[in-house]
């Protein structure tokens, strides 16, 4: 019986890690539905980029208020996770404050620091909530944020709020028990923040205090395991995916749009049928451009899972600012939603995708959105974790134009002009130098 | 007045070469407003005795608008044609007044076999000044308020923010920045083949939004470095009835005017 709590805890750890692993595997499987793209070049440059952008959050601070608040929550999260290690080991071994005897006064310093961070996180969460719900900052209230995305963002804040309060209450009751000399509650830690909570608890009997301390402890750690598994359903997944996402980001200069290698082969064959092209075999690809998630690259699919729904992209997007239907954030969210739909189709059908008569184009992203893009790269520049919505837009345009001849009619005339006269307007190429003779 | 503009065909017939090719671009060749920019730049090239030539009727669209409209085929066909022309004349260095041509030639041609040193005219002008071939006295623009609009394909796409600004400062003018500038600069609305179609429905035109940002700085001049931005901003200024107060000018025009060319 004495080992019952350890056993329960062990089961909790196994279940939550098991569930988490299962979902993570599903995400990886879904991402791998994408087409291959080589992003294994220059590993040291990629490492640097990841450290700078994901770890160092360099792009977050381009908006100072949100950037600093986010930095606090982020650093708090990383540090408090160190404490998590002790909590988990305590739970498994049945010890209390396992690290304290080994770390001595440094342990006190650590606990004090965690408490300070917990307080800072609480303050940041309060400001975040206010920005979303009281100040109603525009980018959080766009169309694509209605319903679940809005709730998700709030739930995360409530989660963090509750976890921090539980953490501080746990410490506060613990410190009282330490002062009372309760068995097991060794003198350890220093409590610069939770000491202010002791008036709430110091009138309780020893037994009640122990009960409260245990309750806070269990709720806190259970909450963390729930949160861990909530990630999968949430934009909060970015806390994990931001790292690979920045590592595998496009390192090329933004103006360089990718050249379609299959088309290159076709064009070379057309211009010079005799020429043998060694690097690529002249097979006609099944499809040009992108109409569904299977046609995207795995990096684009990973982008969609990593998106934080922060809306920085859309708030800089000239089309979105001027009321067009296009929103680069929505492009990412819709890509993810379609990928999730495909994923659950595969789950249901024993590992195989059964065609469902739907696709990313039209069912999720409309041509109207795609044609509103000016290819200005503002969204790519704005994204704090280097997501590239523009590449998806351009790939889908390629499908519309090459596979469906569905470009807007003015663009068709423009292209006909380019084809016939070598200029987007109906001028004769013979007049190209006319300007030199005019004044 | 007829401008003296050598073509590569002429030069090569005379057994001569040019050290740089001026890629005029479709807008610069055919669009009335953009032609003025072309002429201003040519006047500077002539005045500085730069060894240059144009392709003339041998130049064709780089394929940029086709690519951005989703027609990768047409883009690559255009690119192949241009690359074979440029290679025929053994061209190594290209300067252009159009950021779209600049970007495509510089970034998208190499993979198709076209490798050239490509320079935007603002970088080129800066170099001419540095080398002492060109000097500007502030002249007409001394003390004028000038705001600079970053073309997306020059700024964000290629990280060229300073060359155009340095040139404006050389005019002894007061450079005022818009609320979104440099890497956060707002698009004029023309890129991605939008120039050639009507905008999707919304509550405003992009060029109006950008022009409003520019006018907020109360400029005498809105400087641009792209023929398409120039058109969009000029339309914006007209729409706001500010033509009398604010002029939209390319940096090449500012320099040509300052030097009475
Ligand atoms: S590239 Fe397209 S989607 Fe991205 S900000 Fe510019 S117009 Fe919007
Ligand atoms: S794509 Fe990037 S900037 Fe846009 S909402 Fe997602 S995370 Fe934010």
């Amino acid at each position: 019986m004495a080992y019952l709590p350890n056993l329960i805890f062990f089961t909790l750890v196994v279940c939550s890690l098991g569930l988490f692993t299962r979902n993570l595997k599903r995400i990886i499987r879904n991402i791998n539905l994408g087409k291959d793209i080589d992003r294994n070049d220059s590993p040291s440059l990629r490492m640097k980029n990841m450290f700078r952008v994901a770890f160092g959050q360099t792009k977050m601070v381009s908006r100072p208020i949100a950037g600093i608040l986010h930095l606090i929550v982020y650093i708090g999260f990383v540090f408090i996770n160190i404490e998590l290690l002790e909590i988990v080991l305590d739970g498994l071994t049945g010890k209390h404050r396992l690290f304290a005897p080994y770390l001595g006064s440094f342990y006190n310093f650590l606990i004090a620091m965690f408490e300070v961070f917990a307080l800072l996180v609480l303050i940041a969460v309060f400001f975040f909530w206010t920005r979303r719900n009281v100040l109603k900052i525009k980018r959080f209230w766009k169309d694509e944020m209605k319903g679940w995305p809005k709730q998700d963002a709030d739930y995360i804040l409530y989660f963090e709020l509750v976890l921090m309060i539980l953490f501080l209450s746990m410490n506060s009751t613990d410190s009282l028990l330490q002062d009372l000399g309760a068995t097991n509650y060794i003198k350890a830690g220093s409590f610069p923040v939770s000491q202010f909570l002791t008036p709430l608890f110091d009138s309780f009997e020893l037994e009640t205090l122990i009960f409260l301390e245990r309750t806070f402890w269990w709720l806190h750690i259970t909450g963390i395991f729930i949160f861990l598994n909530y990630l999968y359903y949430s934009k909060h997944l970015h806390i994990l995916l931001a790292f690979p996402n920045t590592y595998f980001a496009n390192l090329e200069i933004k103006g360089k749009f990718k050249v379609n290698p299959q088309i290159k082969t076709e064009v070379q064959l057309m211009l010079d049928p005799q020429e043998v092209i060694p690097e690529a075999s002249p097979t006609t690809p099944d499809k040009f451009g992108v109409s569904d998630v299977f046609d995207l690259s795995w990096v684009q699919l990973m982008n969609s899972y990593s998106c934080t729904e922060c809306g920085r992209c859309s708030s800089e997007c000239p089309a979105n600012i001027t009321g067009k239907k296009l929103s680069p954030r929505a492009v990412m969210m819709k890509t993810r939603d379609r990928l999730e739909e495909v994923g659950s189709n595969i789950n249901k059908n024993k590992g195989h995708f059964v065609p469902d008569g739907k696709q990313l184009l039209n069912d999720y992203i409309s041509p109207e959105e795609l044609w509103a893009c000016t290819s200005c790269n503002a969204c790519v520049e704005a994204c704090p974790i280097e997501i590239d919505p523009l590449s998806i837009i351009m790939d889908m345009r390629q499908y519309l134009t090459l596979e469906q001849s569905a470009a807007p009619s003015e663009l068709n005339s423009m292209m006909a002009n380019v084809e016939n006269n070598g200029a987007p307007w109906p001028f004769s190429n013979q007049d190209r130098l006319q300007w030199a003779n005019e004044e | 007045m007829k401008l003296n503009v050598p073509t590569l065909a002429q030069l090569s017939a005379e057994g001569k070469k040019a050290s740089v090719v001026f890629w005029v671009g479709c807008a610069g060749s055919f669009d009335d407003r953009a032609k003025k920019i072309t002429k201003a730049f040519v006047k500077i090239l002539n005045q500085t005795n730069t060894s240059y030539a144009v392709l003339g009727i041998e130049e064709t669209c780089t394929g940029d608008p086709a690519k951005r409209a989703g027609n990768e085929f047409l883009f690559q066909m255009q690119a192949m044609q241009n690359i074979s022309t440029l290679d025929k004349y053994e061209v190594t260095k290209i300067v252009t007044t159009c950021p779209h041509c600049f970007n495509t030639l510089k970034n998208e041609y190499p993979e198709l076999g076209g490798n050239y040193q490509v320079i935007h005219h603002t970088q080129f002008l800066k170099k001419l000044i540095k080398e002492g071939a060109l000097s500007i006295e502030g002249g007409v623009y001394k003390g004028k308020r000038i705001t600079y609009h970053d073309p997306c394909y020059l700024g964000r796409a290629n990280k060229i923010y300073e060359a155009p600004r340095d040139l404006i400062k050389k005019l002894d003018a007061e450079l005022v920045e818009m609320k979104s500038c440099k890497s956060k600069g707002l698009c004029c609305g023309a890129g991605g083949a939008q120039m050639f179609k009507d905008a999707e429905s919304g509550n405003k035109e992009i060029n109006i939004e950008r022009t409003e940002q520019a006018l907020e700085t109360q400029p005498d001049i809105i400087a641009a470095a792209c023929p398409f931005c120039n058109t969009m901003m000029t339309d914006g200024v007209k729409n706001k009835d500010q033509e009398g107060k604010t002029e939209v000018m390319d940096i090449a025009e500012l320099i040509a005017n300052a030097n009475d060319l």
Side-chain angles (χ1 to χ4, degrees):
Chain A
M1 266 316 270
Y3 288 106
L4 189 62
N6 308 37
L7 208 66
I8 296 175
F9 190 79
F10 181 73
T11 320
L12 185 67
V13 173
V14 170
C15 287
S16 85
L17 289 184
L19 191 61
F20 178 72
T21 317
R22 189 198 71 163
N23 286 338
L24 196 62
K25 275 193 185 148
R26 282 189 175 164
I27 289 175
I28 294 170
R29 179 202 66 195
N30 293 354
I31 289 174
N32 280 325
L33 292 174
K35 290 227 163 10
D36 204 17
I37 178 175
D38 185 18
R39 290 280 166 87
N40 289 316
D41 57 300
S42 18
S44 65
L45 207 64
R46 293 188 174 281
M47 267 303 193
K48 246 190 246 158
N49 198 47
M50 183 178 84
F51 269 95
R52 210 169 38 86
V53 180
F55 219 71
Q57 311 231 323
T58 42
K59 289 183 88 177
M60 279 302 290
V61 284
S62 76
R63 301 204 176 181
I65 300 176
I68 288 166
L69 290 174
H70 185 269
L71 198 66
I72 292 172
V73 175
Y74 164 71
I75 296 175
F77 175 85
V78 171
F79 275 111
I80 295 171
N81 270 339
I82 306 175
E83 166 69 347
L84 208 59
L85 182 69
E86 187 190 35
I87 294 179
V88 171
L89 291 176
D90 279 352
L92 290 173
T93 57
K95 294 263 168 29
H96 189 66
R97 297 199 180 270
L98 187 68
F99 293 170
Y102 304 102
L103 296 175
S105 61
F106 183 61
Y107 186 83
N108 297 352
F109 168 76
L110 278 180
I111 297 294
M113 189 179 67
F114 298 149
E115 288 215 337
V116 171
F117 272 117
L119 177 67
L120 287 173
V121 168
L122 277 176
I123 295 170
V125 163
F126 169 75
F127 280 115
F128 274 142
W129 185 87
T130 313
R131 282 161 58 84
R132 278 185 189 267
N133 295 294
V134 181
L135 301 176
K136 301 207 176 190
I137 289 181
K138 224 164 88 197
R139 69 186 152 109
F140 302 133
W141 288 84
K142 290 273 167 125
D143 274 354
E144 66 264 24
M145 295 308 285
K146 294 216 172 88
W148 172 247
K150 163 87 177 67
Q151 288 163 11
D152 178 28
D154 285 335
Y155 289 164
I156 293 165
L157 294 177
Y158 300 144
F159 245 117
E160 280 162 359
L161 176 88
V162 170
L163 287 177
M164 291 305 116
I165 289 176
L166 285 170
F167 175 71
L168 291 172
S169 309
M170 175 181 95
N171 276 354
S172 170
T173 44
D174 192 330
S175 73
L176 282 172
L177 287 163
Q178 291 180 19
D179 292 343
L180 291 171
T183 23
N184 268 338
Y185 290 91
I186 53 162
K187 266 257 172 253
S190 100
F191 307 97
V193 178
S194 65
Q195 60 174 331
F196 294 105
L197 295 178
T198 47
L200 293 175
F201 306 115
D202 59 6
S203 56
F204 291 119
E205 297 287 310
L206 187 82
E207 278 72 41
T208 323
L209 267 180
I210 294 180
F211 174 76
L212 281 174
E213 193 276 337
R214 286 290 87 193
T215 309
F216 294 143
W217 189 94
W218 278 97
L219 285 177
H220 175 247
I221 191 68
T222 313
I224 283 176
F225 285 136
I226 293 175
F227 197 38
L228 178 73
N229 280 294
Y230 177 74
L231 293 186
Y232 174 67
Y233 305 94
S234 161
K235 64 157 186 145
H236 218 58
L237 198 54
H238 76 270
I239 64 170
L240 302 176
L241 288 186
F243 295 90
N245 203 71
T246 45
Y247 182 87
F248 293 111
N250 181 14
L251 298 179
E252 302 273 10
I253 195 133
K254 292 196 178 65
K256 180 178 175 180
F257 291 24
K258 76 167 179 266
V259 167
N260 187 321
Q262 296 163 328
I263 293 180
K264 186 174 157 188
T265 314
E266 301 248 321
V267 169
Q268 279 170 334
L269 275 172
M270 249 153 72
L271 292 177
D272 193 353
Q274 305 306 322
E275 195 170 331
V276 197
I277 300 149
E279 49 204 278
S281 60
T283 49
T284 312
D286 44 347
K287 185 178 187 178
F288 294 119
V290 166
S291 64
D292 206 352
V293 285
F294 306 100
D295 311 323
L296 290 166
S297 75
W298 64 268
V299 172
Q300 288 168 317
L301 296 182
M302 180 171 64
N303 277 181
S304 78
Y305 271 126
S306 314
C307 176
T308 73
E309 297 174 12
C310 68
R312 289 176 181 223
C313 52
S314 298
S315 71
E316 308 259 328
C317 169
N320 195 266
I321 291 174
T322 55
K324 318 289 190 291
K325 238 179 104 188
L326 170 65
S327 158
R329 166 171 58 187
V331 168
M332 297 320 298
M333 292 168 68
K334 289 170 180 178
T335 304
R336 181 202 54 208
D337 291 350
R338 171 60 185 158
L339 185 55
E340 271 296 288
E341 185 178 57
V342 166
S344 34
N345 181 314
I346 295 175
N347 296 341
K348 265 192 228 118
N349 297 299
K350 304 196 188 77
H352 295 285
F353 176 70
V354 175
D356 57 357
K358 287 200 204 169
Q359 55 173 7
L360 183 60
L361 181 68
N362 296 324
D363 294 310
Y364 286 83
I365 300 175
S366 66
E368 181 184 340
E369 292 162 73
L370 298 170
W371 292 115
C373 173
T374 71
S375 72
C376 72
N377 260 307
C379 52
V380 187
E381 179 79 35
C383 181
I385 52 172
E386 311 225 293
I387 287 172
D388 185 354
L390 174 56
S391 70
I392 298 182
I393 296 172
M394 284 296 138
D395 287 347
M396 293 185 79
R397 275 192 186 182
Q398 204 174 87
Y399 177 84
L400 283 172
T401 300
L402 291 182
E403 293 286 342
Q404 305 210 303
S405 308
S409 64
E410 305 116 296
L411 290 187
N412 281 333
S413 338
M414 177 274 285
M415 290 186 281
N417 287 327
V418 171
E419 214 169 331
N420 300 327
N421 335 313
W425 297 287
F427 294 109
S428 160
N429 214 44
Q430 293 306 314
D431 295 336
R432 233 179 221 277
L433 205 47
Q434 225 20 63
W435 56 268
N437 304 321
E438 300 162 358
E439 182 73 11
Chain B
M1 183 189 71
K2 191 181 175 320
L3 281 168
N4 179 25
V5 186
T7 62
L8 272 179
Q10 286 164 2
L11 288 189
S12 96
E14 296 165 16
K16 288 192 221 152
K17 284 200 156 186
S19 58
V20 62
V21 168
F22 171 29
W23 187 276
V24 183
C26 299
S29 304
F30 295 117
D31 179 85
D32 285 333
R33 178 67 190 85
K35 281 195 270 190
K36 293 188 185 151
I37 304 168
T38 308
K39 287 181 214 165
F41 186 59
V42 157
K43 285 176 189 164
I44 300 171
L45 291 175
N46 284 342
Q47 190 215 18
T48 52
N49 291 320
T50 303
S51 153
Y52 79 99
V54 299
L55 280 168
I57 58 169
E58 286 185 278
E59 186 184 299
T60 97
C61 175
T62 58
D64 160 85
K67 186 176 175 77
R68 269 76 195 169
N71 197 335
E72 179 77 9
F73 256 109
L74 183 52
F75 158 68
Q76 291 197 15
M77 296 293 282
Q78 290 300 116
M80 292 306 214
Q81 189 183 340
N82 283 320
I83 290 169
S84 90
T85 312
L86 290 164
D87 287 352
K88 179 177 80 183
Y89 291 113
E90 294 170 353
V91 171
T92 55
K93 205 167 156 188
I94 302 172
V95 61
T96 176
T97 43
C98 173
H100 295 265
C101 297
F102 168 76
N103 180 68
T104 305
L105 292 166
K106 180 171 184 287
N107 297 321
E108 289 163 358
Y109 275 30
E111 243 174 280
L112 298 169
N115 293 287
Y116 318 101
Q117 188 195 346
V118 188
I119 317 161
H120 186 249
H121 74 304
T122 54
Q123 296 173 302
F124 192 81
L125 291 169
K126 204 182 147 183
K127 213 176 108 234
L128 286 179
I129 292 173
K130 205 173 144 209
E131 287 166 354
L134 176 68
S135 58
I136 346 175
E137 320 278 296
V140 276
Y141 299 113
K142 203 176 161 92
K144 288 261 157 60
R145 276 174 82 83
I146 301 184
T147 190
Y148 171 68
H149 164 78
D150 288 278
C152 303
Y153 276 87
L154 193 62
R156 265 190 302 274
N158 286 291
K159 295 191 178 159
I160 296 168
Y161 301 112
E162 292 313 322
R165 288 181 166 79
D166 289 346
L167 292 171
I168 293 173
K169 287 178 201 151
K170 284 261 181 329
L171 293 166
D172 281 341
E174 185 192 349
L175 175 65
V176 279
E177 295 289 359
M178 291 180 236
K179 72 175 179 198
S180 47
C181 62
K182 298 185 184 169
S183 68
K184 287 187 164 227
L186 181 71
C187 175
C188 70
Q194 297 295 342
M195 183 72 190
F196 307 100
K197 63 185 261 299
D198 286 328
E200 276 59 32
S201 68
N203 49 34
K204 204 180 205 175
E205 294 292 335
I206 296 172
N207 67 325
I208 303 296
E209 176 76 21
R210 185 52 167 168
T211 306
E212 284 170 1
Q213 290 187 359
L215 292 176
E216 265 171 36
T217 67
Q218 305 188 315
D220 299 308
I221 289 155
I222 300 173
C226 168
F228 295 102
C229 299
N230 194 309
T231 304
M232 294 310 251
M233 300 303 280
T234 305
D235 287 350
V237 170
K238 269 191 206 134
N239 181 284
K240 294 268 153 195
D241 284 328
Q242 296 293 315
E243 297 138 283
K245 268 167 97 186
T246 304
E247 243 185 315
V248 182
M249 301 278 271
D250 191 89
I251 297 205
E253 294 177 301
L254 294 177
I255 290 176
N257 285 350
N259 285 4
D260 291 325
L261 295 176

